Amino acid sequence: MKCKIRPDFLILFMCLTLISTANSQSLFKARDEGKQVYERYKNRPQAALNKPLSKRDRGVGILDRGELTNVTGNFGVLSNFHLFSPAFHWPSWADDTHQYCFGMELLVGVKGDVITSIHDPNTVAENFDWEAQDGSLGNLFSGNLTASDGTPLLAGSDNMESWPQNSQGKPFWPGQFRQDPQTGRQVPGEFVSERDIYSEYTDQNNINGSYGLKVRQTAYSFSRSYARNFIIFDFQIINTSSKTLDSVWIGYMTDFKVDFDAHDHIRFKALEDKPGAKKDLVYLWDADPNEGIWDITGYIGLLSLFTPQNKGITDFHYFDNIYEPSTNEQIWEIMSSDTSGNHITRSNYFHGNNFRIDDDALADDMDPSGQKLGTDFVYILSSGPASLTPGDTVHSAFAVVMGATDQEMFANAQMVKNMSRNYYLGPNAPKPPALQAFSGDRRITLTWDGQTAENSRDLLTGKMDFEGYKIYRSEDFGQSWGKQITDEHGNIIGYVPVAQFDLDNTISGKDPNSNFYLGNNSGLKHTFIDSTVNNGVEYWYAITAYDRGDIATGVPALESSRGINPDEVNVVSAVPGAPASGIDRTNSANLDSLSPVSGICDSRLSVQILDPAQLTGHHYRVTFNDVGMVITADNQGVADTAITTTFNLIDLSTNDTLLFNHPLLNESGDNIPATRGFRILPEDIEPEVKFMGWTLVHGDTCTFDWHREVRGNETGKPWMNGWDDFRITFDQSGPGIPVKVSDEFGATWGPEMIPVSRVELITDPSHPVDVTENTWLIDYAFHGLSLPEPESWFQFFGPMGWDLVPGGKGYNPNVEKWPDALSFRNYFVDGSGDTVRVNGVDIRTQNRPGQLPPADGDQYTIISRKPFRSAVSYEFETAVPNYSAGEADLSRVSVVPNPYIVRAGWERSQFEGRVQFTHLPSPCDIQIYTTAGDHVITLKHEGPFDYEFWNLQNESGINVAYGLYVFIVKTPSGEKHTGKFVIIR
């Protein structure tokens, strides 16, 4: 025998041995009929290993992004309702009885020995040859996230807290990233599905000794509409030993139950109907859907995607659950189709003339009633033989696929088959943003950072096709999310959001490929205030991001996962409440419009307080990056980067950088994420000249003036960089300023001299520009227009250089069109090394005859508006709120509901309830007593709101009895209020 028999199963095992001698009819009657099976296991901790079986290195992974959900382990058990749930629960809205899997294990057979992990109390089988990677080599999970019994959650792609940490304490992804379909190379930081789960295990526990086998297992769970009804498992099986392993079979043993009624049909077929196609899909469905305990049953299939050495499925055998093998020898003979052994009764496991592939046409006849309703099937499918030399890796993968009908299931299977040819990639929805909630009096404010979602790219096309956001609200702790949307059969297919924001573009209305509502071009927002809430009630919110779909290819608009609970980045819970009575708040002051501590700036920076309770009292600094990089997209969704000003937020008290290279406030007015109870709002201005004129004139000698002609960049945006102010001082006897003389195409001659003694930078010494030197390729160019050839279109220009004498040699009679000019140009060097003129401003003389030129010493000044730039910084502090009960009004303190009726709507579940104390001062103590005067518990109430919950447990964590209770509310100043409440059934 290979399995280890637990002592507490010994009597049951003896009974089963006796039963096996009875006829098959009485055996079927003795077997559990579904309800009993479910009732037996439903109360064990969800999503956790049973404590007697737990091991320090073991973990579990929760695959719950789509309609099909499952918990898997890192010790060879892929799904098992006896151990953890969900166990291929489907669909998401069905009740908890709809668990399809009572066992699915990875099998690797080596010359008569089988490495597997089995847990089946019904057959007394408990065997764990596969075991989690030894913790001494480093666990492949962080341990920071755990199931309800403390079992670690395996590394999941959507939560870095679950990742292992390196020697520097930084998290890293232990598995593969998604692969580029064109190159096959991994793309660091990007993943295949909405949740990739990675684990490793070895055959270290094999009773017959380790063969040096190591398994790298990745499971994929999708939320996108076309992929939410399947889960993919992918295995890389490695021979780490120094020996060649011959006669290796790799496969799976699966115990699917549909409706628990022991009446299922099973079929094995080739998914794609084409010549030479091998059978690759095993599927089951309920033979009598009008019987049993489920309100809906579906078709469940296992689709083989990859097999070692591309052999395909070579062996397939189905059998009744009562004959499920539990020994080494039995499993080997079935998975390798060994008809020479004597450890099984072959008629129980081999059906039809092909001893390697069972005839599924005979399966329905296994119904002992003779009604051809099949039975409670278990099956093994495998591929072999293969040979693994030292260091060899073989690939095996499958998908579990669901559908309401066989055609739906086939369509879903075809989708995953197509995706498997592309490294499991398919069109994907944008990533959902991180959501934050801030509670107020009868209002909840939601904020989110749009960069993650709005910069998302489709993994297949590379396009940025983000279109909008939807916000959902739940009042029953995530069981439902608002008004239901149903299909023609009355099945729930979605919920109506409480808010929706989309890009203001040409895309709106319903998606023609799916009827998904794309929005009404409302424009993007990153804040939503819900003022339709009641104080003291817990609300959950979820935000999703969706794309625009593709009409040309028929790909529907895709929406990210709505989420399951507030542990997820895009789901939050919040309880609105009135301010605690008598509270004296101290808010951070003078944050509406800050003044820079360095540099000069005409832009506006303010700080918005969102939650005073989260303020830290720390000192903060805001700095700017002149050439920050921001991701953008063109009209076709092609990703690009833009060079623009960005900002950084630094906590000087902790030296943490909270935001880095973040875009400034955009047209939405709320695109900055909240941090530590506040968010900064850096509202930039357009750079332009705000003053230009004579600031010093000696006497009244100067009657001629200059005018300004702004030159734009390719988009026509007016320019003045706003960094510097200039003063031009005239001295015609001076040496002049060296300049390059240029035409409009950048051709240069010179250097030439202009009769101006000084051009001074008069504003910001922290951003120096030496304008008396040749600065052609640095910041500015000072040049006069010229006439290189009489025939050219430059014929309107005057002669080389300037002449400030009216009617002199520099006079241009075509002054209305081409006067002499002093041009300020801004240049930068692009990524290819080319010099690009961005834009500039020309100052053109109006030196018509009869005007008087400036005299020596006259000064002309140019002052620009100052936008944010690297020379500018701001600092501010937040103030920690000072809560003081003061003169609190205790007369309004009450308990709701009162009486508290167990199993009422206030409860989250039948195992948990709570009451709420309202209109409390802060801080205060709430002392609870029985009517006999026995102290039950003291609750400490602090914070800005006027409510406190009690979970109906005493100080020892034990649920209290029904009856009458007395409470006393006491403030630090000694004020008291006494009341009563009742807990009844």
Side-chain angles (χ1 to χ4, degrees), residues 112 315 317 329 332-342 344 346 350 355:
D315 303 84
H317 300 287
E329 297 81 6
W332 169 261
E333 290 180 12
I334 300 170
M335 72 180 299
S336 66
S337 301
D338 182 0
T339 59
S340 65
N342 57 6
I344 61 173
R346 285 190 291 277
F350 294 73
F355 74 97

Side-chain angles (χ1 to χ4, degrees), residues 774-826:
N774 183 354
T775 58
W776 176 251
L777 295 181
I778 302 174
D779 290 283
Y780 305 100
F782 303 94
H783 59 274
L785 301 178
S786 62
L787 181 61
E789 296 181 8
E791 294 79 14
S792 77
W793 65 276
F794 294 106
Q795 61 185 315
F796 298 112
F797 300 162
M800 187 80 72
W802 279 30
D803 186 348
L804 297 179
V805 176
K809 66 178 181 178
Y811 171 63
N812 187 341
N814 300 286
V815 67
E816 294 296 335
K817 189 170 185 180
W818 297 112
D820 287 346
L822 174 63
S823 297
F824 292 72
R825 293 285 187 262
N826 191 19

Side-chain angles (χ1 to χ4, degrees), residues 262-282:
H263 288 151
D264 296 333
H265 295 305
I266 187 171
R267 295 293 184 268
F268 185 38
K269 62 167 286 184
L271 173 64
E272 297 176 322
D273 185 14
K274 59 185 180 181
K278 293 184 178 180
K279 292 185 176 182
D280 54 3
L281 175 65
V282 184

Side-chain angles (χ1 to χ4, degrees), residues 356 374 666 715 898 921 924 972:
R356 299 198 69 174
N666 64 18
T715 63
N898 187 11
C924 68

Side-chain angles (χ1 to χ4, degrees), residues 727-731 755-760 856-860:
R727 180 169 57 232
I728 302 170
T729 303
F730 288 84
D731 181 0
V756 178
S757 62
R758 293 189 308 280
V759 179
E760 298 173 287
D856 286 353
D858 288 354
Q859 293 179 344
Y860 194 86

Side-chain angles (χ1 to χ4, degrees), residues 192 194 224 226 426-430 456-460 465 547 558:
V192 169
E194 280 66 57
R224 56 200 79 163
Y226 64 85
N428 59 284
S456 289
R457 292 181 295 117
D458 189 282
L459 298 182
L460 280 181
D465 56 355
D547 62 28
L558 300 174

Side-chain angles (χ1 to χ4, degrees), residues 61-80:
I62 304 174
L63 299 156
D64 62 0
R65 299 296 83 184
E67 289 296 307
L68 180 63
T69 59
N70 183 57
V71 173
T72 191
N74 61 347
F75 50 96
V77 176
L78 310 181
S79 178
N80 192 316

